[in-house]
């Protein structure tokens, strides 16, 4: 780069010198013009000179070329051989070449001011290490502070003083790969041998320098000191090996018996009488050292030998091969022995460098097919096994590492595969070799008891095999839940048979006789008898409904989400979500407004805290694949007040997004996926740009949150997991939480996170403790902060106080919500007056003097900090589906009955729940009597109950069936009660006989389970829809099957909730292969029809709609499966009940104007 004009640069290379300048986003290049001065040489280096148009380059022939603009001005002979490096100074240049000379020049290359030869004789007296050769080729050069820094081809870095003496700073192996490594039996030195044909001895402490070096005829693969430390054996790549004097490195003796690489070489323990030499020829030769003769050959390996070890008596050899065989040979003759794996452990080994066998099964990683564990070494106390692998990691395991996937400490060491690891004689240091990075690394071993509170470089292993993280039913359910994608939704009922729109239609009597009649609407237009069709009388002018507008949503997703209820607008409003809608709820009036742009269930919600982004909300949803299609998971960022979508981030997280968090400046957004890698992604949300993404953990991550004061640091918590992350450019770096500093601390499942000043982090655990972390080290545990899991934590930005929410049984002193000081030392507990046996808090948020709490039981409660008074803002069913739904005959009330065993009464005008009854069993259906004074409830266990509305007292109950009751109906004259069950039956009870409820008759031969039932206006007929897509009509009360089509056509029905029949053929869509229309309801006016289906859609049709695939309007909002739908009295509203979302939606009917 040009130092004066940053837009200019030069490139130099093979017969190439080019001058570039930047133009917009591109580069324009011109070739250097040589003219008559020279030929196109290969350029080895180039620098800019003292003005912006001067450039200088060094050639492969030893010349320096001087350029002005793009023209060659002159050439100067500088070195014998290529000029490899050049550096520009203020008043001149310094160059280095292959001839091993460093030359100082004036500013125009007129004259050479001084040259320095790199020679052993010039080494300063105190310099550590040795030069490999005189005049090494110089590859890099730099200047500063009166010294010249020189890098040579031989892996040395030298400092040349201006006055002449040379100091050696760094040295190492120089080419090929380094494999051979041996540590001395009683001194802190080690030997290495490499493909660069050198054998080197290194001092490991204190000076870390090279003590001796010797050139070899061939590259080497292995070496070993004799037990007395006097001899050094070296195996070479051509199949020969030599023994050298360990002090002088002079040859003692050499042999050449094999053709392939010698891969391992070992002296026998004790006196070192024998030497075992393993080769890639798949033999191990045993030599007698004193007589210098080969005394045995070990045969039988099917592949090359990788590691050999002696037992401590010197009588047995253990051999590893490339085919992953573990073989044993008797020494010195080399006879093969078979030893059962159980016995191998009992043998005392002199060394252990084997990577196979039961004792080290745990060192192989999960992806063992791809990565090889290349080396291992056991400490002399047989406690710690160090390993090196192909990914460059050094790991420490406790020995023996039995069972698969042992726990380890992991250190990022080399850039390529680790070729060898060895402990020193006293286990105080570990020496590791990198293959192609040619580096030798020395690690100090900190014994656990002496470890000062120093922070180590290790990463703990991801696999925590022994300890479980604790158990809690809510956590387990949240971890194992699998989310249904709306588009892939299937039948909620076990239906069978041919769908209505595919059935062959039977011709009617009229059609057979060729009579054509005007289509007769099934709901009577004749002047109805006033008391029978009271509910149908909407007034003289019937106006069709042209639209539905969502007005209220009763429900909140607290069962498997957290931290998803927040204050907005200084506590006037709260924001939360259920199904696929975001809800802004006014605390004072209860009015709601909705964000309805999501096309599937919302799983997480967060609010931007930065004042610049006021009322900005992010919500993440479920999704299908990571194929970026319409069903891919996405995060929406929107304005809570005007419901404008500001940004949609399509994620590659398959399955869904389970956590979102804004950074301190509000510009970045963090999202966590439910994909198997639990990917963590950082977005610049305004541009929709993904900055960084990385796999988070192999098990579920529940929450990840930015530190409130940072744009780069965040913490993620999950199943046996807490990680401290840093965003560095486009990379994500992570550190695991370290427990080592505290006694008895174990990694638990972490559920929530909050932050304090001075880099403190608080995490809530499954056991009820709160862990306090300083940086990434655990420094304290607040034991039993709650009696059960701590599901939610909230950091108040204005005063630093922290709110925690847990799962607790209400008691005198405890409470499920606690407010703590900044350090989590003291707290105040609040009890939620909900009347539940256990309170399970899933979300907490703190406003001005108020704490907002969301619970597992779908309640949102406001707690006053001063008086601890509880105000329940939102109610909902706890568990779904909500099967039962009934609207009051004359008032704006409706009832819902659900799997959670409750029946609840809701008031649309007052926007709240008026009452609830706990039945103790799952409820399936509910119905008002025509006068609205009684309620009948059908249960999942086959029982049904009749309550008096005024007192909620039980008027009567009966159980004639063992299976679920699917629908229950009062006849319009209030005389009969029809009870339809999954036992393919409908039972009739005469209510005039009193509360004994004796069955008077039942309908026979219904082909499948009952779905819906409707009485005729005169109470004499009942239509039944069944699970095989068939609709039947029965006489009441005899239960006789009516088959005459003409008679059926003449019946006027009091209500219509059937999904089957010619009149509603048009509601069945083309896309219903696996999913169905689940429920329907005709308006009281008899001209509009609403349906709910398995995809979670509410649709509005005209009634009747006998043509297939009728025109309709569709309304989204529910999760998969709308289980029931009803018009309220006067057709003012439609109420729809959700299956998966446990929510009730109230839609306002928009009538056509007159």
């Amino acid at each position: 780069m040009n130092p004066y004009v940053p837009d200019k640069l030069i490139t130099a290379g093979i017969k190439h010198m080019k001058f570039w300048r930047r133009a917009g986003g591109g580069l324009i290049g011109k070739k250097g013009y040589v003219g008559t001065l020279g030929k196109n040489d290969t350029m080895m280096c180039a620098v800019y000179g003292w003005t912006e148009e001067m450039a200088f380059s060094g050639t492969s022939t030893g010349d320096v070329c001087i350029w002005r603009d793009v023209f060659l001005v002159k050439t100067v002979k500088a070195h014998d051989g290529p000029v490899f490096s050049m550096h520009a100074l203020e008043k001149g240049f310094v160059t280095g070449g292959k001839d091993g000379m460093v030359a100082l020049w004036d500013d125009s290359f007129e004259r050479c001011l001084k040259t320095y030869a790199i020679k052993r004789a010039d080494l300063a007296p105190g310099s550590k290490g040795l030069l490999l050769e005189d005049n090494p080729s110089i590859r890099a050069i730099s200047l500063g502070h009166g010294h010249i820094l020189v890098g040579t081809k031989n892996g040395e870095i030298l400092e040349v003083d201006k006055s002449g003496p040379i100091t050696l700073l760094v040295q190492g192996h120089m080419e090929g790969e380094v494999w051979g490594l041996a540590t001395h039996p009683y001194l802190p030195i080690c030997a290495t041998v490499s493909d660069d044909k050198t054998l080197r001895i290194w001092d490991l402490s204190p000076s870390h320098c090279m003590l001796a070096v010797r050139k070899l005829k061939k590259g080497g693969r292995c070496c070993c000191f004799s037990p007395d430390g006097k001899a050094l054996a070296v195996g070479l790549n051509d199949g020969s090996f030599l023994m050298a004097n360990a002090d002088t490195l002079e040859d003692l003796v050499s042999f050449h018996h094999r053709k392939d690489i010698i891969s391992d070489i070992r002296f026998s323990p004790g006196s070192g009488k024998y030497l075992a030499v393993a080769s890639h020829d798949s033999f191990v030769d045993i030599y007698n050292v004193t007589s210098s003769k080969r005394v045995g050959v070990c045969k039988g390996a099917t592949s090359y030998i990788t590691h050999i070890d002696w037992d401590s008596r010197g009588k047995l050899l253990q051999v590893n091969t490339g085919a992953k065989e573990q073989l044993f040979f008797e020494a010195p003759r080399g006879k093969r022995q078979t030893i059962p794996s159980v016995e191998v452990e009992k043998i005392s080994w002199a060394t252990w460098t084997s990577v196979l066998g039961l004792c080290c099964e745990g060192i192989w990683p999960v992806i063992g097919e791809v990565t090889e564990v290349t080396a291992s070494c056991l400490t002399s106390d047989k406690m710690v096994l160090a390993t090196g692998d192909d990914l460059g990691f050094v790991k420490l395991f406790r020995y023996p590492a039995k069972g698969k996937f042992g726990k380890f400490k992991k250190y990022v060491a080399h850039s390529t595969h680790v070729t060898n690891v060895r402990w020193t004689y006293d286990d105080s240091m570990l020496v590791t070799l990198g293959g192609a990075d040619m580096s030798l690394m020395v690690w100090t071993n900190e014994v656990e008891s002496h470890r000062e509170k120093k922070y180590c470089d290790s990463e703990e292993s991801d696999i925590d095999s022994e300890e479980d993280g604790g158990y809690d039913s809510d956590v387990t359910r949240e971890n194992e839940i699998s989310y249904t994608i709306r588009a892939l939704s299937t039948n909620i009922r076990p239906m069978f048979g041919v769908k209505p729109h595919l059935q062959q239609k039977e011709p009617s009597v009229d059609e057979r006789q060729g009579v054509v009649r005007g289509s007769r609407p099934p709901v009577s237009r004749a002047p109805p008898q006033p008391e029978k069709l009271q509910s149908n009388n909407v007034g003289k002018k019937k106006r069709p409904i042209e639209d539905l507008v969502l007005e209220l949503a009763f429900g909140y997703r607290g069962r498997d989400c957290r931290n998803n209820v927040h204050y907005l607008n200084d506590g006037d409003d709260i924001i939360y979500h259920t199904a696929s809608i975001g809800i802004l709820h006014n605390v004072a009036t209860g009015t709601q407004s909705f964000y309805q742009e999501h096309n599937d269930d919302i799983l997480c919600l967060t609010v931007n805290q930065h004042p610049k982004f006021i009322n900005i909300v992010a919500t993440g949803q479920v999704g299908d694949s990571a194929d970026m299609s319409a069903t891919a998971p996405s995060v929406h960022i929107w304005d809570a007040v005007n419901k404008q979508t500001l940004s949609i981030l399509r994620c590659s997280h398959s399955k869904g997004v389970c956590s979102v968090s804004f950074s301190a400046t509000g510009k970045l957004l963090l999202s966590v996926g439910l994909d198997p890698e639990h990917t963590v992604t950082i977005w610049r949300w305004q541009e929709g740009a993904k900055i960084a993404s990385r796999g988070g953990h192999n098990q579920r991550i529940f929450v990840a949150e930015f530190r409130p004061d940072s744009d780069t640091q965040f913490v993620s918590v999950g199943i046996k997991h807490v990680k401290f992350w840093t965003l560095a450019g486009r990379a994500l770096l992570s550190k695991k939480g370290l427990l080592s500093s505290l006694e008895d601390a174990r990694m638990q499942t972490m559920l929530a996170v909050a932050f304090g000043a001075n880099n403190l982090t608080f995490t809530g655990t499954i056991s009820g403790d709160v862990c306090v972390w300083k940086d990434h080290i655990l420094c304290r545990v607040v034991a039993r902060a709650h009696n059960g899991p701590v599901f939610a934590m909230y950091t108040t930005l204005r005063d630093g106080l922290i709110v925690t929410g847990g799962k607790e049984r209400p008691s005198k002193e405890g409470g499920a919500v606690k407010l703590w000081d900044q350090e989590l030392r003291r707290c105040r507990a609040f009890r939620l007056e909900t009347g539940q046996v256990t309170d399970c808090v899933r979300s907490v948020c703190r406003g001005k003097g108020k704490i907002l709490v969301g619970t597992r039981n779908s309640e949102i409660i406001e707690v006053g900090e001063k008086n601890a008074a509880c105000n329940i803002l939102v109610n909902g069913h706890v568990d779904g589906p909500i099967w039962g739904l009934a609207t009051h005959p004359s008032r704006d009330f409706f009832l819902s009955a659900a799997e959670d065993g409750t029946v609840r009464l809701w008031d649309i005008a007052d926007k709240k729940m008026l009452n609830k009854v706990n039945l103790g069993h799952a409820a399936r259906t509910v119905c008002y009597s025509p006068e609205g004074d009684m309620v009948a409830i059908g249960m999942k266990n086959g029982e049904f109950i009749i309550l008096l509305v005024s007192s909620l007292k039980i008027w009567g109950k009966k159980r004639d069936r063992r299976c679920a009751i699917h629908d229950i109906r009062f006849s319009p004259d209030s005389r009969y009660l029809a009870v339809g069950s999954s036992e393919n039956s409908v039972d009739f009870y005469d209510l005039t006989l009193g509360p004994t409820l004796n069955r008077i008759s039942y309908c026979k031969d219904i082909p499948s389970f009952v779905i819906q039932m409707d009485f005729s206006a005169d109470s004499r007929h009942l239509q039944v829809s069944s699970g095989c897509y068939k609709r039947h009509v029965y006489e009441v009360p005899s239960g006789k099957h009516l088959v005459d089509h003409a008679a059926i056509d003449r019946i006027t029905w009091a209500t219509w909730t059937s999904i089957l029949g010619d009149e509603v053929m048009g509601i069945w869509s083309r896309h219903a292969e696996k999913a169905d229309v689940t429920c329907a309801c005709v308006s009281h006016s008899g001209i509009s029809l609403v349906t709910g289906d398995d995809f979670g859609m509410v649709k509005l049709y005209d009634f009747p709609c006998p043509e297939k695939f009728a025109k309709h309007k569709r309304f989204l909002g529910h999760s998969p499966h709308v289980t029931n739908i009803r018009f309220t009295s006067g057709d003012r509203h439609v109420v729809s009940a959700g299956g998966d979302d446990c929510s009730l939606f109230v839609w306002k009917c928009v009538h056509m104007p007159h």
Side-chain angles (χ1 to χ4, degrees):
M1 298 285 283
N2 193 320
Y4 310 101
V5 188
D7 280 356
K8 284 189 177 179
L9 56 129
I10 41 181
T11 55
I14 294 185
K15 298 198 170 171
H16 151 105
M17 180 81 178
K18 234 173 179 185
F19 297 82
W20 303 81
R21 62 186 174 79
R22 212 166 78 204
L27 289 166
I28 297 171
K30 283 188 183 166
K31 274 193 175 156
Y33 180 72
V34 181
T36 54
L37 282 171
K39 55 185 193 309
N40 272 332
D41 271 333
T42 291
M43 302 293 171
M44 311 302 287
C45 56
V47 293
Y48 274 104
W50 61 91
T51 64
E52 62 175 275
E53 64 260 9
M54 295 302 287
F56 300 84
S57 62
T59 72
S60 57
T61 54
D63 294 338
V64 170
C65 299
I66 304 174
W67 306 78
R68 176 175 282 114
D69 216 5
V70 298
F71 302 103
L72 181 61
V73 185
K74 72 183 229 193
T75 59
V76 178
K77 182 72 177 165
H79 288 274
D80 298 333
V83 184
F84 278 127
S85 70
M86 190 186 308
H87 187 80
L89 314 169
E90 274 124 45
K91 297 202 179 66
F93 295 88
V94 55
T95 60
K98 191 175 180 176
D99 54 4
M101 301 297 254
V102 175
L104 273 174
W105 301 83
D106 66 0
D107 57 6
S108 57
F109 276 98
E110 293 291 330
R111 61 183 215 274
C112 179
L113 305 176
K114 190 163 185 183
T115 59
Y116 302 93
I118 306 293
K119 289 198 165 72
R120 291 180 194 157
D122 293 340
L123 276 184
S127 173
K128 57 184 187 182
L130 307 163
L131 265 184
L132 192 64
E133 58 187 8
D134 281 347
N135 297 338
S137 171
I138 292 171
R139 304 301 304 235
I141 203 154
S142 177
L143 218 88
H145 310 296
H147 297 285
I148 305 172
L149 216 50
V150 176
T152 75
K153 170 178 171 276
N154 294 346
E156 298 144 342
I157 299 178
L158 315 159
E159 191 177 55
V160 182
D161 194 275
K162 288 267 177 78
S163 57
I166 298 174
T167 320
L168 188 58
L169 302 179
V170 177
Q171 70 185 135
H173 284 282
M174 54 203 191
E175 61 188 298
E177 292 197 354
V178 193
W179 281 77
L181 171 66
T183 50
H184 195 280
Y186 52 83
L187 293 173
I189 63 174
C190 75
T192 58
V193 59
S194 142
D195 293 345
D196 65 8
K197 304 183 190 169
T198 59
L199 165 67
R200 305 179 184 226
I201 309 283
W202 306 88
D203 182 7
L204 297 179
S205 74
S207 69
H208 299 118
C209 67
M210 187 169 81
L211 300 174
V213 60
R214 166 187 165 181
K215 290 193 176 175
L216 304 166
K217 288 197 283 296
K218 290 272 184 261
R221 264 295 164 97
C222 55
C223 56
C224 180
F225 282 100
S226 62
D228 58 6
K230 295 206 167 103
L232 180 59
V234 183
L236 304 179
N237 290 351
D238 62 350
S240 64
F241 71 93
L242 56 91
M243 278 171 58
N245 181 319
D247 298 326
T248 63
L249 298 189
E250 286 165 1
D251 274 15
L252 299 174
V253 61
S254 75
F255 295 90
H256 195 157
H257 283 141
R258 295 283 167 212
K259 295 188 177 62
D260 215 335
I261 294 173
I262 304 293
S263 55
D264 204 356
I265 191 162
R266 284 307 173 92
F267 283 96
S268 64
S271 61
K273 183 178 176 188
Y274 296 106
L275 178 67
V277 181
S279 79
H280 274 202
D281 292 355
S282 68
F283 297 110
V284 180
D285 300 318
I286 301 176
Y287 294 83
N288 184 321
V289 175
T290 41
S291 69
S292 302
K293 288 207 170 64
R294 179 158 65 170
V295 291
V297 179
C298 308
K299 302 174 183 169
T302 62
S303 178
Y304 58 92
I305 314 288
T306 55
H307 308 87
I308 51 177
D309 292 295
W310 289 86
D311 77 331
S312 47
R313 300 174 330 195
K315 297 279 173 71
L316 190 67
L317 269 177
Q318 170 182 226
V319 173
N320 283 189
T321 75
K324 299 216 166 79
E325 305 163 293
Q326 185 186 24
L327 310 172
F328 301 96
F329 297 95
E330 182 199 333
R333 286 183 311 157
K335 190 174 167 218
R336 179 149 173 210
Q337 307 284 327
T338 43
I339 302 179
S341 51
V342 196
E343 298 294 318
V344 178
E345 296 177 42
K346 300 179 184 163
I347 301 170
S348 162
W349 296 97
T351 58
W352 182 284
T353 58
S354 163
V355 295
L356 303 171
L358 278 182
C359 313
C360 48
E361 188 186 2
I363 68 177
W364 289 85
V366 187
I367 42 176
E369 293 308 306
V370 193
T371 59
E372 293 277 332
V373 180
T374 45
S376 80
C377 186
L378 186 59
T379 53
S380 48
D381 61 6
K382 309 264 188 286
M383 297 290 279
V384 182
L385 184 67
T387 69
D389 63 33
D390 279 347
L391 299 176
F393 294 126
V394 172
K395 296 179 182 174
L396 298 184
F397 292 85
R398 287 234 158 79
Y399 185 83
K402 289 187 185 171
K404 287 200 166 161
F405 316 138
K407 283 193 72 172
F408 53 83
K409 283 194 158 64
K410 179 170 86 175
Y411 303 85
V412 180
H414 294 275
S415 62
T416 50
H417 42 266
V418 181
T419 49
N420 222 326
V421 295
R422 288 286 183 275
W423 292 100
T424 53
Y425 69 99
D426 57 355
D427 299 338
S428 64
M429 285 177 279
L430 177 71
V431 190
T432 63
L433 278 186
D437 66 11
M438 295 177 286
S439 55
L440 169 75
M441 293 193 186
V442 184
W443 308 74
T444 48
N445 179 19
E446 308 212 326
V447 188
E448 299 217 334
S449 49
H450 306 301
R451 187 185 298 170
E452 310 103 55
K453 291 259 173 77
K454 247 169 66 181
Y455 304 144
C456 316
D457 310 337
S458 96
E459 280 238 358
E460 297 285 336
S461 61
D462 268 354
I463 299 140
D464 309 314
S465 42
E466 307 87 274
E467 308 159 0
D468 65 332
Y471 175 78
D472 175 78
S473 56
D474 280 320
V475 177
T476 304
R477 183 179 52 233
E478 184 175 359
N479 184 32
E480 291 171 357
I481 195 163
S482 66
Y483 298 98
T484 329
I485 312 303
R486 184 185 280 163
L488 304 178
S489 166
T490 53
N491 271 340
I492 189 169
R493 295 192 183 99
M495 309 281 280
F496 61 90
V498 184
K499 310 249 169 160
H501 61 292
L502 304 173
Q503 290 173 13
Q504 293 299 314
K505 206 170 158 190
E506 298 165 22
S508 67
V509 184
D510 288 345
E511 280 168 350
R512 276 190 225 124
Q513 294 164 355
V515 181
V516 180
R517 306 199 175 172
S519 64
R520 222 183 3 259
V523 174
S524 152
R525 291 250 177 102
Q529 297 112 338
E531 68 280 0
K532 296 248 178 86
L533 285 175
Q534 213 170 5
S535 55
N536 288 17
N537 190 356
V538 181
K540 297 288 175 289
K541 301 198 176 60
K542 298 178 182 174
R543 293 184 296 153
I545 295 162
E546 63 173 356
D547 205 3
L548 301 179
V549 178
L550 189 58
E551 188 174 291
L552 287 173
F554 295 111
Y556 149 64
R557 185 159 188 161
R559 62 189 187 283
D560 58 359
C561 301
R562 17 254 187 70
N563 295 340
N564 55 354
V565 189
H566 293 270
Y567 276 120
L568 280 183
N569 304 331
D570 286 347
D572 291 349
D573 298 305
I574 61 171
I575 190 152
Y576 60 98
H577 63 88
T578 186
S580 64
I581 56 172
I583 304 172
L584 183 72
H585 177 106
N586 186 290
V587 175
T589 63
T591 47
Q592 296 179 337
S593 58
F594 308 99
Y595 178 77
Q596 292 170 278
E597 295 302 311
H598 277 282
N599 59 4
D600 218 323
D601 285 9
I602 299 177
L603 289 181
C604 51
L605 176 148
T606 187
V607 173
N608 203 326
Q609 301 282 356
H610 195 272
K612 191 174 150 194
F613 298 106
I614 202 142
N615 295 334
I616 303 293
V617 177
T619 44
Q621 72 167 46
V622 209
D624 170 23
S625 55
D627 60 2
M628 306 307 262
S629 66
T631 55
S634 57
V635 178
H636 289 227
I637 294 95
W638 44 284
D639 185 314
V641 179
N642 62 16
K643 313 293 179 295
Q644 289 288 311
T645 307
L646 305 174
S647 183
I648 295 181
L649 313 174
R650 289 238 178 265
C651 311
S652 50
H653 306 307
S654 57
K655 290 194 182 161
V657 182
C658 64
S659 178
V660 282
S661 165
F662 282 108
S663 66
T665 62
K667 290 177 182 165
L668 301 183
L669 181 78
L670 155 70
S671 68
V672 180
L674 287 168
D675 48 301
E677 291 80 43
H678 302 98
T679 315
V680 174
T681 307
I682 308 275
W683 306 83
R684 221 180 257 111
W685 61 266
Q686 286 161 296
E687 292 104 73
K690 182 194 289 191
I691 299 181
S693 185
R694 185 175 155 193
H697 189 50
N698 57 5
Q699 295 199 63
R700 175 77 193 264
I701 294 180
F702 291 129
V703 182
E705 273 186 41
F706 269 109
R707 298 195 69 84
D709 53 1
S710 170
D711 258 22
T712 55
Q713 290 181 307
F714 61 95
V715 179
S716 64
V717 294
I719 302 275
K720 292 189 286 184
H721 152 102
V722 54
K723 261 190 186 167
F724 297 83
W725 298 80
T726 307
L727 173 65
R730 296 186 73 100
L732 285 172
L733 312 175
S734 71
K735 283 188 172 160
K736 293 191 121 178
L738 272 191
L739 304 166
S740 49
S741 53
L742 280 194
E743 293 301 309
D744 311 332
R746 67 189 181 91
M747 182 51 83
Q748 303 185 46
T749 290
M750 303 287 176
L751 303 171
V753 60
F755 301 97
N758 311 327
N759 252 358
L760 282 184
T761 305
F762 310 104
T763 59
T765 71
I766 193 168
S767 64
D769 303 341
V770 172
C771 298
V772 184
W773 310 80
K774 174 86 173 134
D775 297 318
H776 67 289
I777 316 287
L778 183 65
C779 59
R780 176 164 74 91
V781 173
V782 183
R784 309 299 281 167
H786 285 275
N787 293 333
V790 183
F791 278 118
M793 299 176 85
Y794 181 83
T795 318
T796 318
L797 294 185
R798 58 172 197 279
D799 56 9
L801 299 192
I802 286 165
V803 189
T804 62
K807 182 175 173 180
E808 287 209 15
R809 288 173 181 268
S811 59
K812 289 235 171 20
E813 59 285 337
V817 176
K818 294 185 177 173
L819 181 62
W820 303 77
D821 61 6
Q822 293 93 332
E823 307 258 297
L824 251 78
R825 305 264 179 206
R826 300 189 315 281
C827 78
R828 217 181 115 197
F830 296 95
R831 288 219 300 280
L832 304 175
E833 316 287 341
T834 56
Q836 303 283 346
V837 188
T838 36
D839 284 324
C840 179
V841 171
R842 304 287 304 199
S843 174
V844 285
C845 175
R846 187 159 165 260
K848 293 186 175 157
K850 297 263 176 43
I851 296 174
L852 191 61
V853 181
T855 73
R856 154 91 183 75
N857 298 327
S858 301
E859 292 159 324
I860 299 179
I861 304 164
E862 196 172 50
V863 183
E865 278 176 31
K866 291 204 170 61
N867 54 4
C870 291
N871 171 22
I872 299 186
L873 305 176
V874 175
N875 279 293
H877 280 283
V878 183
D879 276 318
I882 305 175
W883 283 107
L885 187 62
T887 51
H888 194 280
S890 55
R891 303 179 61 183
D892 262 350
F893 290 173
F894 66 94
L895 283 169
S896 60
E899 297 269 328
D900 61 6
T902 62
V903 169
R904 301 174 186 237
L905 176 62
W906 307 88
D907 183 336
I908 296 175
D910 280 359
K911 307 179 178 57
K912 63 172 194 263
M913 182 177 89
L914 294 177
N915 215 326
K916 75 169 182 189
V917 180
N918 273 320
L919 303 166
H921 282 288
R924 283 302 292 261
T925 174
V926 61
C927 180
Y928 270 108
S929 65
E931 282 72 47
D933 57 346
M934 283 174 149
V935 172
I937 303 159
M939 314 283 281
K940 199 174 178 178
N941 62 0
E943 186 177 29
F944 68 92
I945 302 172
I946 298 181
L947 299 177
L948 294 169
V949 172
S950 51
S951 60
L952 290 180
K953 292 275 188 301
I954 293 181
W955 180 78
K957 59 196 256 184
K958 194 70 195 289
R959 186 178 181 189
D960 285 329
R961 297 284 174 190
R962 290 284 163 269
C963 293
I965 306 295
H966 280 177
D967 201 2
I968 195 164
R969 282 307 175 95
F970 287 95
S971 64
D973 59 6
S974 301
R975 177 164 181 187
Y976 299 112
L977 182 72
V979 180
S981 75
S982 60
E983 284 184 30
N984 306 3
S985 66
V986 175
D987 300 328
F988 292 118
Y989 299 86
D990 190 337
L991 299 176
T992 54
L993 304 176
T996 51
L997 292 175
N998 288 333
R999 178 166 61 186
I1000 53 167
S1001 72
Y1002 60 92
C1003 299
K1004 303 166 192 58
D1005 52 76
I1006 301 177
S1008 174
F1009 58 88
V1010 174
I1011 307 177
Q1012 292 113 348
M1013 306 184 303
D1014 294 295
F1015 271 100
S1016 62
D1018 58 6
S1019 305
R1020 292 185 29 204
H1021 294 97
L1022 181 77
Q1023 70 168 346
V1024 177
S1025 315
S1026 66
C1028 61
Y1029 302 112
K1030 294 276 197 308
R1031 165 189 168 226
H1032 296 269
V1033 178
Y1034 295 90
E1035 291 178 4
V1036 182
S1038 68
K1040 205 173 116 226
H1041 187 189
L1042 184 63
V1043 283
D1044 177 5
H1045 280 292
I1048 293 174
D1049 277 353
R1050 285 194 294 275
I1051 299 172
T1052 301
W1053 300 103
T1055 58
W1056 185 292
T1057 58
S1058 171
I1059 53 173
L1060 306 170
D1062 293 344
E1063 295 81 2
V1064 290
M1065 179 64 74
I1067 67 176
W1068 290 87
S1069 83
R1070 287 185 179 83
H1071 309 298
E1073 281 94 56
K1074 299 196 176 82
D1076 274 333
V1077 180
T1078 50
C1079 52
C1081 183
V1082 176
S1083 63
H1084 298 297
S1085 66
I1087 53 179
S1088 297
L1089 163 74
V1090 284
T1091 66
D1093 62 28
D1094 280 325
F1095 293 124
M1097 284 194 220
V1098 171
K1099 294 180 180 173
L1100 174 66
Y1101 296 86
D1102 287 335
F1103 183 80
C1105 52
E1107 297 297 319
K1108 286 188 184 177
F1109 316 130
K1111 228 172 72 179
H1112 59 271
K1113 285 197 172 173
R1114 54 179 68 181
F1115 305 95
L1116 286 168
H1118 277 291
S1119 301
H1121 316 304
V1122 176
T1123 46
N1124 215 328
I1125 193 158
R1126 289 286 184 272
F1127 277 96
T1128 61
S1129 70
D1131 294 339
R1132 281 188 286 279
H1133 295 92
V1134 169
V1135 183
S1136 58
D1140 291 6
D1141 57 27
C1142 310
S1143 303
L1144 294 155
F1145 288 2
V1146 180
W1147 310 80
K1148 188 172 167 206
C1149 298
V1150 180
H1151 294 267
M1152 277 188 187
H1154 285 302

